[in-house]
Amino acid sequence: RAKNAGGNTFRFHKAEMQQRVSRVLQLENALHRALRNDELLLHFQPQLQLTSNAVIGCEALIRWQHPEMGLLSPAEFIPIAEESRLILPMGDWVLQAAASQCKAWQQAGLPPIVMAVNVSALQFSQPDFAQRVDRVLQITGLDACWLEIELTESVMAEDPERVIVTIQQLHGLGVRLSIDDFGTGYSSLAYLKRFSIHKLKIDQSFVRDLMTGTHSASIAEAIISMSRSLGLSTIAEGIETQEQAQWLTGRGCDQGQGYLFSKPMPAAQFQHWFGAKSQQP
Ligand code: C2E
Ligand code: MG
Ligand code: MG
Ligand code: MG
């Protein structure tokens, strides 16, 4: 980068910025098209009871099958979707697709499991969010008890009064609620008591460093014991090794999710995997 050329540097930055803006606009346009053309899809990752290894749920994780760029992960397009508010129609699509998949598996004779769906703060703060969820349940015929909404701590930083109303409405519908990436954000412990949350998800950064002598083990242990004393269940995400699973089970963590058990899978593969697993004695 040129040091002693103020004017040029400015032009350089300007060009760079224009490039970035046009890339974002391009992706944003492509994302509009993706929503219309069915380019979005869900992968599903199993959630297991750690003591029995029984599958009790799965998490729906969005992917974008881009015609030229291939399969894109959420990190590559969720930020653009949020900035452009496309996350709202996209979030509606995810809810509908996940609920209808959950119902379809039940109808196919698989043991019923909970479907966990990620909801962004912007989506959750829509005044009619609970009605939207209710409509999806009506349309798909899924019983509310099989749907779990994963919130992040950032939701709590929005308008707390509105958040409380929405949480109560969802609770009234019989939908379950969990807090994703717990321990990484705005962790007010007060809201855990005030809000009707069912489950805390220990963030994968703590799980990853569990065995490496950092503070992560102490933090994970504190989350588990707090969760238990509040009567919530706990799930650890990002479990990759047997040692991590054993450590967590030993400290009373109820559930786990991670590559040790399975990566997220397309619907057909999940159904095959789960079907085979539920046949085992
Ligand atoms: P998340 O909800 O915390 O999801 C967990 C992420 O960890 C997923 O990444 C999953 O594939 C990955 N993961 C699972 N097990 C392991 C493991 O053992 N090791 C490692 N290293 N990673 C593991 P993914 O699918 O790329 O999703 C990233 C994030 O994108 C999600 O984090 C969530 O915040 C967001 N996201 C995904 N789908 C949706 C959606 O439908 N709506 C919204 N608003 N956000 C979504
Ligand atoms: Mg999640
Ligand atoms: Mg998470
Ligand atoms: Mg995460």
Side-chain angles (χ1 to χ4, degrees):
R1 222 163 271 201
K3 257 188 193 151
N4 302 318
N8 281 335
T9 309
F10 172 73
R11 268 200 293 278
F12 179 74
H13 284 312
K14 200 172 158 193
E16 197 182 47
M17 201 136 95
Q18 274 166 350
Q19 229 169 47
R20 197 175 307 151
V21 166
S22 95
R23 189 184 140 72
V24 167
L25 283 177
Q26 245 170 37
L27 266 177
E28 198 184 313
N29 277 332
L31 211 45
H32 271 287
R33 187 202 59 211
L35 268 165
R36 280 197 313 270
N37 295 1
D38 269 348
E39 293 171 22
L40 301 175
L41 66 155
L42 297 177
H43 282 186
F44 302 91
Q45 186 177 37
Q47 302 183 325
L48 287 84
Q49 198 72 46
L50 284 174
T51 45
S52 65
N53 258 14
V55 178
I56 39 101
C58 68
E59 178 174 5
L61 295 156
I62 197 169
R63 302 288 181 263
W64 178 7
Q65 186 65 59
H66 191 285
E68 287 104 41
M69 293 194 270
L71 195 65
L72 301 182
S73 67
E76 298 172 86
F77 61 90
I78 291 277
I80 292 168
E82 295 200 325
E83 216 172 310
S84 61
R85 300 178 70 86
L86 271 176
I87 194 73
L88 298 179
M90 185 182 293
D92 284 342
W93 178 84
V94 171
L95 267 172
Q96 167 91 33
S100 98
Q101 185 61 75
C102 189
K103 180 70 181 182
W105 282 333
Q106 291 178 5
Q107 285 173 330
L110 288 172
I113 53 172
V114 170
M115 176 66 72
V117 176
N118 294 284
V119 168
S120 84
L122 189 64
Q123 194 187 350
F124 194 83
S125 59
Q126 296 171 103
D128 64 345
F129 180 72
Q131 282 99 291
R132 285 169 183 274
V133 171
D134 192 26
R135 203 174 314 138
V136 165
L137 293 171
Q138 302 294 335
I139 291 170
T140 59
L142 182 70
D143 196 296
C145 70
W146 301 112
L147 182 66
E148 182 168 293
I149 303 285
E150 292 195 3
L151 305 173
T152 54
E153 292 163 289
S154 62
V155 160
M156 311 300 172
E158 300 279 308
D159 175 358
E161 293 316 309
R162 174 177 289 172
V163 167
I164 290 171
V165 169
T166 301
I167 287 179
Q168 281 165 347
Q169 289 170 336
L170 289 170
H171 211 247
L173 293 177
V175 169
R176 308 168 54 84
L177 290 159
S178 63
I179 301 185
D180 205 354
D181 307 337
F182 189 76
T184 60
Y186 161 90
S187 285
S188 160
L189 300 181
Y191 65 65
L192 289 180
K193 263 191 84 72
R194 266 178 87 204
F195 298 170
S196 318
I197 300 289
H198 296 89
K199 180 153 105 176
L200 299 185
K201 297 194 77 173
I202 302 174
D203 187 65
Q204 49 186 304
S205 61
F206 304 124
V207 176
R208 187 185 55 223
D209 300 334
L210 223 44
M211 305 301 158
T212 53
T214 61
H215 292 306
S216 293
S218 317
I219 295 170
E221 202 161 13
I223 294 175
I224 295 165
S225 88
M226 180 186 65
S227 189
R228 282 166 71 96
S229 63
L230 288 169
L232 310 177
S233 48
T234 324
I235 183 166
E237 54 181 10
I239 301 180
E240 294 186 357
T241 70
Q242 203 63 62
E243 290 71 43
Q244 291 165 344
Q246 268 158 12
W247 190 97
L248 289 157
T249 313
R251 266 109 192 139
C253 178
D254 308 299
Q255 300 167 15
Q257 180 182 347
Y259 297 167
L260 174 65
F261 311 111
S262 168
K263 292 202 167 181
M265 297 172 269
Q269 196 185 333
F270 183 93
Q271 180 168 344
H272 183 80
W273 178 90
F274 182 38
K277 201 170 161 68
S278 54
Q279 295 305 313
Q280 288 163 13

